[in-house]
Each structure stands twice: as C-alpha cells, then as structure tokens.
Amino acid sequence: MAVASIAHYDWPEDWPDLLPSLMKCITDQTNMNAVHGALRCFSLVSADLDDNMVPKLVPVLFPCLHTIVSSPQIYEKPLRMKALSIVYACTSMLGAMSGVYKTETSAMMSPMIQSWINQFSSILENPVQSEDPDDWSIRMEVIKCLNQFLQNFLSLMESQFGVFMGPLWQTFVSSLGVYARSSIEGIEDPYDGRYDSDGAEQSLESFIIQLFEFLLTILGSPKFVKVVGNNVKELVYYTIAFMQTTEQQVNAWSVDANQYVADEDDNTYSCRASGALLLEEVISSCGTQGIHAIIDSAKTRYRESQQEKASGASGWWRMREATLFALASVSEQLLEAEAPEITKVSLGETLEQILSEDMSTGVNEYPFLYARIFSSIAKFSSMVSQGLIEHFLYAAIKALGMDMPPPVKVGACRALSQLLPDTNKEILRPHFLDIFSSLTDLLKHASDETMHLVLETLQEAVKAGPDLVVSIEPVLSPIILNMWASNVADPFVSIDALEVLEAIKNAPGCIHPVVSRVLPYIGPILNNPQQQPEGLVAASLDLMTMLLKSAPTDIVKAVYEVSFDPVVRIVLQSDDHSEMQNATQCLAALISVGKEELLAWGGDTAFAMRSLLDVASRLLDPDLESSGALFVGSYILQLILHLPSQMAQHIRDLVAALLRRMQSCKLSGLRSSLLVIFARLVHMSAPHVERFIEMLVSIPAEGHPNSFVYLMVEWTKLQGEIQGAYQIKVTTTALALLLSTKHTELGNLNVQGYLIQSTAGITTRSKAKTAPDQWTMMPLPAKILALLADALIEIQEQVLVGGDEDSDWEEVQEADVETDEALILSSSAIPHGRPSHDYLDAMAKAFDEDQDDGDDDDLLSGADPLNEINLVNYLVDFLKKFSHSEGAIFSHLLQSLTKSQHDTIQMVLKQ
C-alpha cells in the first residue's frame, strides 16, 4: 500500500526506477515473497493507470505475467490469480483507449493474443473441482480477462473463438454438477461468504455469475452469436438447471418472507437473476430460434422433474420451479414476440400441462413451487385456459385466509394483484369480502417488503370491486390511515397506503366518509407542524392534495376550511423543503378545483388573495434555495389561469419576480417550469403579443440589456429540456406566437445556435468537462424556427424509430453543422412526396402517447384550453401561414437551418 500510494503521485516521472525494481522482483523465482509483493503492488497501481502509462507497461509486463500464469509447477494459484487480475486491469484500460487509439492498441495486443488464449484454454479445459475455491477463483479471473479481450479486441478474437469455446463449455457444463451438490443440494461446501486476502469473493456462486456475464457478452456479439446459435438449446437447458433454488435460499426464505419478496422483486446478485438475464439475451439475439430453445428446454426439464418425482426424489420440485421461473422471467418477450402461432400454441400447451399437473401438489410440502405457480399463472394468463385461471384465482383467495407457509401467501398476493383487474367481477363477487378480510389481516402481521405487496394487492382488490367497498370502508379506511401514519418515514409504504386510500375514496359512496375520517386527523398536524415527527407534515399535505383530485365542491370547501390557513403558514414559515414542496402543490390543487369561489370561502376575499400573493413572493424569493420552490411554476400557473382578473394588476411585478428567481435558480427543472409561466403569459397577451415583448424590454435584468434579452437567451437554450406534453405544447406554440409578431427586438438579438465540433474522435464526459462545448450564434428568429422544426423532428422520430438511450460515448464528426444532431432524420425517414393527413395524425398521436404527464399534471393543466392543442396541426398551420405571408423573411430564415430541420419544414409545407 505504501509503495502503491507513492507511485500514484511519483511514478513514472519522479520514480523511474520503480518499474525495473518491480520487474526484477516478479522474475525472481527464488523468492516467492518478492514475487507476491511485486504483484500486489502492480495490482494496486494498475487501478490508477492512465493512457500514458499502459502502453509503456504492457509490452514489458505481460510476458512476465504470462510466465507466472503458465507455470503452475512454480507458482501457486493465488499468485497466478493476482497476475491475471493485473492483465484484466490493463486490458480494461486498453479497451478505454481503443476508441481513440484503436490501431495502436490492436498492434500492441496482436502478438500476445494467441499465447494468452492458449493459456486461458488450458486452465478452463479441465473439469471444475469440488470444494476448491482457488480453482473457481482462477477460472473466474480467466473469464474476466476473456470478457475484456472479447469486448475490446473483437477483430483479434475472431480467429481465437474456436480455441477457447470448447474449454469454456467444459467449464460451464462441469460447474453445474459442482454447483448442484454444493449450493442446490447443500451436500458440499459452496464457500459462500469466503474472500481472499485482498477482499475478492471466492464463492462458487460468484464464479458462476461471472461465467454467465461472459456468455452474455458472447450472445451480444453479432459475430459470435451465430456460432453459439448452433448450441443454443443446450445452453438454455443447462442455464435452467443453474436457476434452481439453493439450499441457502430455501432456509432463508422459509423464515423470512420479506427476504423472499425482496429477492424476487430486486433480481438480486444470484445465479437465478444472472440466468434470467442470459435467457432474455437468448431471445433478443437468437429470435425465434431462441424462443424454440427455451420452450424445448423447458419441456425437457419438466419431463425430467416428472421422472424424479416418480422415482421418489425429494428435490424433484426444484427443477419444476426453476422451469417455471425461467419461463416467467422472459414472459414479456415470449408474449410479445412475433413468433409463429404454432410456437405460441406449443408454449401455452406446455404451461397448461405443468400448471394442471401441479394443481394437486401439496402446498405445505412444496411451498416455493406453489408460490411460483401462482406468480406464473398471472404472467401467462393470456396463454392458458380460463378454467385454469379461475382455479388458481380461487386457490389464491383460499390461501390468503388459511394457515399457509409465507411464500405461498406471497405468491397468492402476486397472482391476485395481477389477475384481479381482468377478472369477471361477477365471478368474484361472492369472494370479495373474504379477500378484503384476509388482506387486512395480513397487513397486521406484514412488514417491509411484504407490506408493500399486500397493499398493492389490496389496491387492486378495491379497484376490482368498487361497488362493494362502501360496505367495508368503515373498517378498511381506519386501518389504512393508521398504516399510512405509522410509516411516513418509509416513503414506499406510505405511498402505497396513500394509493389504497385514493382507490377507496374513488369508489362509489366513499369520498365523504373517507374525508370525514381524514380531516379531523390531519387538521391538528398542519396547525402544529413543529411538534410532529419528521415527514408527517409533508405526508399529510400529500394526503390533502390526493383528496382534492376529482372532488366535488363541498369536499373542496371542507378541505379548504381545515387546510388553507395552516398550509399558507407552512410555505411562509417552514424551512423544510419537502413540506414547502407539498404545501405548494396542495395550494395549487386547491386553486385548480376551487377557482375564484375559493377567495370568498374564508369570509375575507382580500385577505385570501393577499395570502396567495405572499406565498408566491416567498417561493420566488431569489435567496430561497431552489429545492424549496420546486413547484412554484405549477402554483403560479393556477393563479394566472383561475384568478386572471385578480392577477392582472400584478403581472408586471410577477414577471420581474419570475426573472429574478430564474437568474438565481440552479435546478433545470425549476427553470423549465418558470419558462412555462412566461410561455403562458405570451398566450394570454395574444393577440397583442408585441405589448408583452415591450413590457419585458422595459424591465431591467442584471447582466443583460433588458429582461427580454435574458429571457430569450435562456429560453432558446432550455427549450429542448422541457418535458411533459402540456409544457411542450405551451412553450412551443408560444415561440411561434413570438415569431409571428416580427417585432424588431427579435431581429436585434443573437442567441446560441449550433454546437461546434472541434476535433474528430471520442468525447468522454470527463473530457467534455475540461473542454467546454462551443456554439455558433444565430439570429433569434432563425433559432425559433429551428426549435419549431426540432419539435416536429422529435415527434416524427417517435413515429418512425423511437428514441435510443444516450451513450456514454459520442462519435464526434467534422465541425459541419450540416451534419447536425447525427442527422436525426435521414432523407429515407421522411415520406416521399406529400405527407398524408394520416401521417400527420400518427405524429400527433405519437406525441401524446410519448408524453405521460401523470395525475398531478392532469390536475394542474387539465383546465387549460391550451392542453387541447394538437401540436402537430398547430405547427403545420403556423408554418404554412408564416411562409405564405412572410415569404422573403421565411426563405431567409430557412438558410440558417440544418439539413434535417430544413427538410422537415419543407415536408410539412407540401401537405
């Protein structure tokens, strides 16, 4: 550690002798302590290597490391493992460099690849040894190195694939027997929790998981998946066996249902989870061939479990459970796959056969199998008979009310939560009271993960039988309200409980009794916020907002009477950001549903309006931390939408305060929400938008000639970051209104244009920080037109291809703005000739489907008529009218656009 720490700062410039000294120690076969110490130093140093050091180190070091790895008669396995870990670290760095220095790194590795692959193969070709963690660990290091070689030097590895694939398969197959005896059956020691002296895990499971990760890499490579495709059925067959429950899992899950639920939900680090990922990749990479492999392997494993059961083997159920788990883990892909109908029929028949046979299986004897059956029937309900679904639905209801092992009740909850929404309510009617009774009883004994599952099931039960809820509301609501109050510190449980309360409130005849229970409880909390446990005030405000959704006037008024004054005080006095955020949302919801009538409910209209303005003033205070004011945009939107006559006299002061808040704000989400307010004010100023521009010009802005300049500079930068269908509609159409004014201030202003790409090659995030992006400048009218085109491009993308995740790496092209954002729309993407009305309708539909506002935004924006705008039609109409009425200006502005922007506008003009 001392040597490595000094090397971190001094090597190689100030300690040139370090490398020769360590190399001398590594090659000294008479002193194993020196070899070991030098390897430890290299292992620690290799984690800090950069692209300057690795090219100097690898040609000298790798031959020495190869000597160690290839000499088992001289060096023990721990030393050879340490050498391999250094190979892995250096190869990882070479891989990071290969993006820019591909030719150089390939030339460096090319002479060494063959010898390393031969050595890796010699280690992997022997059968895996039982109860030998050193054997598992050295294979694990070999597989990690192979993974890096394959990912980083694909072209060099093509000729080597046949060399290592046979030995790799031998390791994979032989490890199953060891894993079965050690982990699944618990006969031998799996060395779970064992670590070497450097803290590296040496358990059998960690080795198997690494093996799966490498197989994932192979399947993900188009060059190698074809070779593996010939043996994909065998790969799936063995993978299913690795997915059996281990003895340790059975013991842990039997005594702790929470652990069972957590492991099932989280896909924790395990062979089961890794096997599931591999099966997903089999379908993704091999398509129909992969689906057939999974179905055929499942049939084979099912038959084998039948034979084991017939022979009296006690563990027969494990393979049956693993088969169902394997199928369920890829259920979405199997159900959505464009496979031949005969394939889906075969899958359905297989499932029907497995599930039907296990209907009579002893629940207490094989709880994990029965739990898996419950969750599987839910996932594949569309592929099995209605009779089988109803059988297991009744079985699940029965299981909840009986003394069953916890895993069975977990499975029953999963089945009910997924089956209830689509089940015939008349069939369930006689059983609803039993369901509610059993679930509320389970709640009394649930904790952590199981509580989340039971609440989720209860919510679905309430939604499935809404007309029956009113009869049990007096019992159910107090239980859920108490659970919510007891778990405000746990956001997952409290949110689940709140959703159940909301479902009860929405059931016919329930809103008044629910509100009558909640308000007496919540009122004292809001009136004495300082005396409450942490989180209770914020959660209470969230509860009040929920009560206001779709509420009749008398409910809104009742909530107002209890909450208005204390909620205003919380915003004005609290320093807790969660309380301020939730209080802001609560007031926004009150204004949204109470509207102008709200001002008179308290008896003093002027005082109520003053209170609302004080809240706005506090939230727009530039010195207030941005987090506390996160929802000020939604709040002010309600003020200007629902109290327009009262707000009219305050617009100038409001605009100035919004600008100051925006200048002091660091959160992009808050800045975007403030832009929506400006955009809405633009709409409200129509048809005299130029007056709004002139008002902005007359308001000073620190560091800028005036507020209009500041606002448009920021708006044009941030428009692409705005999210939500309503927000995008309002801001995009407002930009069109601004452009239509042809105001001289627009032409006088230049704003940020296109990104200037300075060099070719790879741009990493770290390099982006040290070399900030540079941009062109362009006239504001041209930028607005470009943003309108970008809006259409983004919508059209959703129709054609859908969006991809941003990569950590960007391939930087020449500094030519004509190539713009990777040419989002190529000429082939744009319909030839005149786009049809159907195509434009598809674009509009894609936009609405892609932008999911959620319930809260629906509450806040639903009353705004702008929410009904068809953005595609609006932009098409605007561009046609603008190009027709301002032909010369329009043609001039088009010259500043990129090719894709220009082509998109020309496309819609042809319509």
Side-chain angles (χ1 to χ4, degrees):
M1 285 298 294
V3 171
S5 297
I6 298 169
H8 177 73
Y9 296 100
D10 291 2
W11 183 73
E13 292 82 6
D14 297 328
W15 196 358
D17 294 336
L18 175 61
L19 181 57
S21 300
L22 291 177
M23 295 300 298
K24 182 178 179 182
C25 290
I26 280 182
T27 55
D28 186 357
Q29 296 185 1
T30 64
N31 187 350
M32 287 298 144
N33 287 336
V35 176
H36 188 256
L39 284 173
R40 290 286 295 273
C41 284
F42 268 125
S43 179
L44 293 166
V45 169
S46 63
D48 294 321
L49 294 175
D50 61 22
D51 53 9
N52 288 321
M53 298 182 196
V54 170
K56 301 170 187 173
L57 185 62
V58 167
V60 182
L61 181 60
F62 270 33
C64 298
L65 297 176
H66 187 274
T67 300
I68 293 172
V69 174
S70 61
S71 306
Q73 70 282 6
I74 301 174
Y75 301 98
E76 295 178 348
K77 283 178 181 172
L79 285 177
R80 295 164 67 211
M81 287 188 307
K82 188 61 65 182
L84 286 166
S85 71
I86 299 169
V87 173
Y88 169 79
C90 291
T91 311
S92 299
M93 175 52 69
L94 286 173
M97 293 168 54
S98 64
V100 180
Y101 305 107
K102 187 173 183 179
T103 304
E104 294 85 343
T105 54
S106 295
M108 186 187 305
M109 289 299 295
S110 182
M112 297 186 278
I113 286 278
Q114 178 75 61
S115 60
W116 276 113
I117 296 300
N118 290 340
Q119 189 53 47
F120 294 158
S121 301
S122 69
I123 293 172
L124 296 176
E125 66 186 0
N126 297 311
V128 175
Q129 301 299 302
S130 296
E131 300 187 288
D132 186 353
D134 284 343
D135 177 63
W136 311 333
S137 296
I138 195 168
R139 289 173 193 263
M140 184 159 68
E141 292 298 336
V142 164
I143 290 165
K144 286 167 64 178
C145 289
L146 273 172
N147 208 345
Q148 284 299 316
F149 278 36
L150 200 64
Q151 290 182 50
N152 300 325
F153 307 106
L154 191 58
S155 57
L156 297 179
M157 289 292 285
E158 279 188 76
S159 60
Q160 304 298 321
F161 191 76
V163 179
F164 71 78
M165 199 58 210
L168 178 70
W169 187 253
Q170 170 69 12
T171 285
F172 181 62
V173 172
S174 64
S175 64
L176 176 58
V178 177
Y179 184 72
R181 292 189 299 275
S182 301
S183 297
I184 297 171
E185 299 166 14
I187 301 170
E188 298 173 357
D189 189 350
Y191 287 85
D192 286 332
R194 169 168 169 156
Y195 298 86
D196 66 16
S197 59
D198 290 330
E201 190 174 1
Q202 288 192 297
S203 70
L204 179 60
E205 185 162 52
S206 61
F207 158 56
I208 304 295
I209 290 170
Q210 191 64 55
L211 194 50
F212 275 129
E213 286 187 15
F214 184 45
L215 290 169
L216 269 173
T217 301
I218 293 174
L219 282 173
S221 167
K223 292 185 177 179
F224 295 140
V225 71
K226 296 173 185 175
V227 182
V228 178
N230 298 328
N231 303 97
V232 70
K233 188 180 294 186
E234 290 82 357
L235 176 64
V236 172
Y237 173 80
Y238 283 106
T239 299
I240 291 174
F242 277 110
M243 297 169 75
Q244 296 176 84
T245 53
T246 66
E247 187 65 15
Q248 184 187 38
Q249 285 169 332
V250 168
N251 293 334
W253 293 344
S254 297
V255 298
D256 188 354
N258 284 313
Q259 189 64 49
Y260 178 62
V261 176
D263 289 350
E264 289 280 293
D265 287 345
D266 297 342
N267 282 328
T268 47
Y269 183 77
S270 67
C271 280
R272 282 164 74 86
S274 296
L277 290 173
L278 189 68
L279 295 183
E280 288 178 19
E281 189 61 43
V282 164
I283 295 178
S284 297
S285 300
C286 304
T288 303
Q289 183 187 10
I291 291 173
H292 285 153
I294 289 172
I295 295 173
D296 292 345
S297 298
K299 288 179 179 178
T300 304
R301 287 302 190 187
Y302 166 60
R303 286 194 296 271
E304 290 173 358
S305 71
Q306 283 181 307
Q307 294 163 4
E308 285 189 26
K309 184 179 181 181
S311 67
S314 61
W316 68 270
W317 65 270
R318 291 182 193 267
M319 192 65 78
R320 186 80 58 90
E321 191 272 346
T323 302
L324 286 172
F325 177 71
L327 290 171
S329 67
V330 290
S331 60
E332 288 187 17
Q333 289 171 289
L334 291 174
L335 292 171
E336 295 171 4
E338 296 180 3
E341 188 61 28
I342 190 170
T343 302
K344 295 196 173 185
V345 170
S346 174
L347 174 60
E349 290 173 349
T350 302
L351 287 163
E352 189 97 17
Q353 187 179 7
I354 298 174
L355 296 169
S356 298
E357 179 178 319
D358 290 327
M359 281 166 57
S360 57
T361 300
V363 178
N364 287 290
E365 289 179 273
Y366 308 107
F368 296 105
L369 175 57
Y370 224 86
R372 182 62 53 209
I373 292 169
F374 276 140
S375 58
S376 299
I377 196 82
K379 285 181 178 289
F380 289 107
S381 58
S382 64
M383 302 194 77
V384 295
S385 67
Q386 188 61 33
L388 196 63
I389 292 172
E390 289 178 13
H391 169 84
F392 281 107
L393 194 64
Y394 296 143
I397 296 169
K398 187 178 177 183
L400 289 181
M402 297 176 64
D403 184 17
M404 294 280 183
V408 176
K409 296 201 174 192
V410 167
C413 283
R414 290 192 193 284
L416 287 173
S417 66
Q418 294 180 57
L419 292 175
L420 283 173
D422 300 316
T423 303
N424 185 318
K425 304 306 180 284
E426 291 307 312
I427 294 175
L428 287 174
R429 184 173 289 275
H431 304 281
F432 267 119
L433 291 180
D434 289 337
I435 294 173
F436 288 128
S437 176
S438 298
L439 289 172
T440 51
D441 188 56
L442 277 178
L443 271 182
K444 298 172 187 175
H445 309 289
S447 61
D448 301 335
E449 306 292 341
T450 51
M451 190 181 294
H452 166 76
L453 180 61
V454 175
L455 286 169
E456 182 183 301
T457 310
L458 193 54
Q459 182 186 350
E460 293 303 331
V462 170
K463 290 179 179 178
D467 54 328
L468 297 173
V469 176
V470 68
S471 62
I472 61 162
E473 188 278 332
V475 176
L476 190 55
S477 290
I479 293 173
I480 303 301
L481 188 58
N482 184 59
M483 176 154 289
W484 168 83
S486 303
N487 291 276
V488 289
D490 184 337
F492 296 106
V493 174
S494 61
I495 289 171
D496 288 337
L498 192 63
E499 289 176 347
V500 176
L501 276 174
E502 184 172 11
I504 297 170
K505 181 209 78 170
N506 292 339
C510 289
I511 187 167
H512 287 86
V514 168
V515 171
S516 68
R517 294 179 206 287
V518 171
L519 291 184
Y521 180 81
I522 297 295
I525 294 172
L526 298 182
N527 276 299
N528 299 283
Q530 291 84 5
Q531 277 93 50
Q532 307 306 323
E534 184 177 357
L536 183 57
V537 173
S540 299
L541 291 161
D542 209 13
L543 177 52
M544 297 297 263
T545 304
M546 181 273 288
L547 294 178
L548 292 167
K549 292 177 184 178
S550 306
T553 303
D554 61 325
I555 294 294
V556 178
K557 192 171 182 181
V559 172
Y560 172 91
E561 290 171 355
V562 170
S563 66
F564 183 75
D565 288 342
V567 173
V568 167
R569 280 197 301 273
I570 288 169
V571 177
L572 297 180
Q573 298 173 10
S574 178
D575 293 321
D576 184 296
H577 291 177
S578 295
E579 291 179 9
M580 293 183 69
Q581 290 173 9
N582 290 7
T584 305
Q585 287 184 302
C586 185
L587 286 173
L590 268 172
I591 300 168
S592 175
V593 291
K595 301 182 172 57
E596 197 168 353
E597 292 82 2
L598 170 146
L599 296 176
W601 287 345
D604 188 339
T605 301
F607 176 77
M609 191 64 214
R610 184 72 259 162
S611 297
L612 294 175
L613 291 172
D614 286 345
V615 166
S617 180
R618 170 98 202 272
L619 294 173
L620 291 175
D621 182 349
D623 296 327
L624 179 69
E625 284 191 47
S626 297
S627 177
L630 189 60
F631 298 114
V632 65
S634 298
Y635 174 72
I636 291 176
L637 182 63
Q638 302 317 303
L639 290 178
I640 61 176
L641 282 176
H642 300 295
L643 306 175
S645 59
Q646 289 84 355
M647 290 299 296
Q649 59 186 304
H650 303 290
I651 291 298
R652 184 181 178 88
D653 291 338
L654 174 64
V655 167
L658 286 166
L659 288 162
R660 287 193 298 271
R661 173 77 268 193
M662 198 165 168
Q663 283 190 301
S664 70
C665 172
K666 305 299 181 190
L667 294 178
S668 62
L670 176 54
R671 290 161 67 82
S672 296
S673 72
L674 297 179
L675 278 179
V676 174
I677 303 303
F678 282 112
R680 195 61 188 82
L681 291 171
V682 169
H683 279 278
M684 294 176 81
S685 67
H688 305 293
V689 178
E690 66 279 358
R691 294 179 187 173
F692 184 69
I693 295 174
E694 286 158 9
M695 182 183 71
L696 286 169
V697 171
S698 70
I699 298 174
E702 186 179 346
H704 295 81
N706 56 60
S707 290
F708 179 73
V709 171
Y710 169 72
L711 177 62
M712 297 317 299
V713 166
E714 294 301 311
W715 191 339
T716 51
K717 281 183 192 173
L718 292 171
Q719 179 63 31
E721 297 178 17
I722 292 174
Q723 297 180 344
Y726 171 76
Q727 290 84 346
I728 292 172
K729 284 178 184 178
V730 173
T731 53
T732 306
T733 52
L735 285 171
L737 285 175
L738 288 170
L739 181 59
S740 68
T741 64
K742 306 183 295 296
H743 197 289
T744 54
E745 289 293 332
L746 274 72
N748 293 338
L749 180 57
N750 287 326
V751 296
Q752 181 176 285
Y754 302 109
L755 181 65
I756 299 172
Q757 307 287 12
S758 57
T759 58
I762 294 291
T763 299
T764 63
R765 286 174 177 163
S766 59
K767 288 182 179 177
K769 290 179 182 176
T770 57
D773 292 334
Q774 292 184 320
W775 301 78
T776 64
M777 298 299 288
M778 65 191 297
L780 176 58
K783 179 66 177 183
I784 292 177
L785 187 61
L787 289 171
L788 301 183
D790 285 343
L792 286 170
I793 288 172
E794 188 170 346
I795 298 168
Q796 191 175 28
E797 257 201 307
Q798 295 159 19
V799 177
L800 298 171
V801 292
D804 291 329
E805 294 281 328
D806 288 340
S807 171
D808 286 355
W809 299 87
E810 298 171 353
E811 190 66 41
V812 178
Q813 307 295 336
E814 295 77 30
D816 180 2
V817 295
E818 286 299 312
T819 61
D820 86 304
E821 298 82 12
L823 283 178
I824 291 173
L825 286 176
S826 65
S827 58
S828 62
I830 298 175
H832 295 295
R834 187 185 300 271
S836 67
H837 284 287
D838 288 344
Y839 184 77
L840 294 177
D841 288 343
M843 288 176 64
K845 183 179 179 183
F847 172 76
D848 288 333
E849 288 178 350
D850 190 66
Q851 304 295 334
D852 183 8
D853 283 340
D855 290 343
D856 291 339
D857 280 342
D858 288 344
L859 176 72
L860 301 180
S861 63
D864 191 345
L866 295 185
N867 205 32
E868 302 304 314
I869 286 176
N870 180 313
L871 184 57
V872 174
N873 289 347
Y874 184 99
L875 291 176
V876 170
D877 290 344
F878 170 79
L879 291 168
K880 284 184 176 181
K881 290 174 183 175
F882 192 72
S883 64
H884 185 262
S885 64
E886 308 295 336
I889 297 175
F890 188 75
S891 298
H892 177 69
L893 295 179
L894 281 178
Q895 295 173 17
S896 298
L897 305 191
T898 65
K899 185 177 185 302
S900 66
Q901 292 168 343
H902 184 278
D903 290 348
T904 299
I905 289 179
Q906 292 296 343
M907 177 195 77
V908 300
L909 291 179
K910 291 178 184 177
Q911 198 273 327

